[in-house]
Amino acid sequence: TCSFDVTVVDAELPVVTCPANITVGNTTGLCSAVVSFSATATDNCSATISYSLASGSTFAVGTTTVTATATDTAGNTASCSFDVIVNDTEFPSFAGCPTDITISTTGSCDQTVSWTAPTASDNCAGVTLSSNHNPGDLFPVGTTIVTYTAIDGAGNTTICTFNVIVEDHENPVVTCPGDITLSANAAGCSAIATFSASATDNCSATLSYSHASGSSFSGTTLVTVTATDPSGNIGTCSFNVIVVNDLVASSSATDILC
């Protein structure tokens, strides 16, 4: 007798098929997501599949490559890979966004305004906060919109806005000349009067006159000067323009009003 062995060697590799790339959004409040998946394998004998990261694992925001490896009973292996992409779709949130601030001027046409700056948070770390104005900045009369912007690493953006309203309630101070007395001209009972008033204001003011400088006056005329600032605050003063007739027949006569 004699004997010999017949050894059948399995040299055939498994065929493993991975899923397509998987894209999901983050779990609310977290910078990650739990992702499940499954690959398949065929083999002339049989094969088992193992993963570099198991299905049902927690995946961080970003791209993670998963490798699936199929191993048959003879130790033959084949692998494939796919990406798990977790997108951060959650926007930053603000705490302590100020409400509108209203303040009045005190001797100037602008005002320093302060507030407590808001804070921003996000499901992922690295949110950046910026603003177009800061507490303690100088604000002009009127309404200025203050905007805080929070941007996370994925570019998700949230804004917080409020108004800073600076009101001017200060009246201009207008200074008139004293009463003006003029002699009537020879042709009649009138005279041309020129004059000028001045005004000061915490902002600025324009002057208007009830009678313009350079007008013709007769008798006694009350001239009122009004100073108006851009906020509509008003200051006034007045003076008299008095025209007298000193062309009388009697040399002893005193000046008389026209």
Side-chain angles (χ1 to χ4, degrees):
T1 64
C2 70
S3 64
F4 62 94
D5 294 330
V6 175
T7 304
V8 179
V9 177
D10 178 11
E12 194 169 336
L13 299 179
V15 176
V16 58
T17 303
C18 280
N21 292 340
I22 300 171
T23 301
V24 299
N26 68 287
T27 301
T28 301
L30 300 177
C31 197
S32 59
V34 173
V35 181
S36 297
F37 45 80
S38 178
T40 59
T42 58
D43 189 62
N44 58 311
C45 293
S46 63
T48 58
I49 300 175
S50 61
Y51 300 91
S52 58
L53 284 168
S55 175
S57 296
T58 297
F59 289 79
V61 165
T63 300
T64 302
T65 299
V66 177
T67 299
T69 302
T71 305
D72 66 14
T73 53
N76 299 306
T77 62
S79 63
C80 64
S81 62
F82 60 96
D83 290 334
V84 174
I85 304 163
V86 180
N87 290 326
D88 177 13
T89 59
E90 193 166 336
F91 288 85
S93 60
F94 276 101
C97 187
T99 56
D100 290 352
I101 300 171
T102 301
I103 193 168
S104 295
T105 58
T106 54
S108 64
C109 201
D110 44 35
Q111 192 67 29
T112 299
V113 182
S114 293
W115 61 86
T116 300
T119 58
S121 59
D122 191 58
N123 58 306
C124 293
V127 63
T128 58
L129 185 62
S130 61
S131 64
N132 63 339
H133 292 282
N134 296 305
D137 281 355
L138 205 60
F139 289 82
V141 168
T143 299
T144 303
I145 299 175
V146 178
T147 301
Y148 279 85
T149 303
I151 303 177
D152 67 15
N156 299 309
T157 302
T158 304
I159 64 171
C160 142
T161 63
F162 60 96
N163 294 316
V164 172
I165 305 162
V166 179
E167 297 179 342
D168 175 18
H169 298 293
E170 298 181 55
N171 292 328
V173 176
V174 58
T175 303
C176 280
D179 290 347
I180 300 172
T181 301
L182 300 171
S183 296
N185 57 40
C189 198
S190 62
I192 301 296
T194 58
F195 43 79
S196 177
S198 62
T200 58
D201 189 62
N202 60 308
C203 292
S204 62
T206 57
L207 292 174
S208 61
Y209 298 84
S210 60
H211 298 76
S213 176
S215 298
S216 179
F217 291 83
S218 61
T220 299
T221 304
L222 181 67
V223 178
T224 300
V225 183
T226 302
T228 306
D229 70 14
S231 297
N233 301 305
I234 292 174
T236 62
C237 67
S238 60
F239 61 96
N240 291 309
V241 174
I242 306 165
V243 178
V244 297
N245 181 9
D246 48 6
L247 299 175
V248 293
S250 171
S251 61
S252 63
T254 57
D255 291 348
I256 61 172
L257 294 178
C258 290

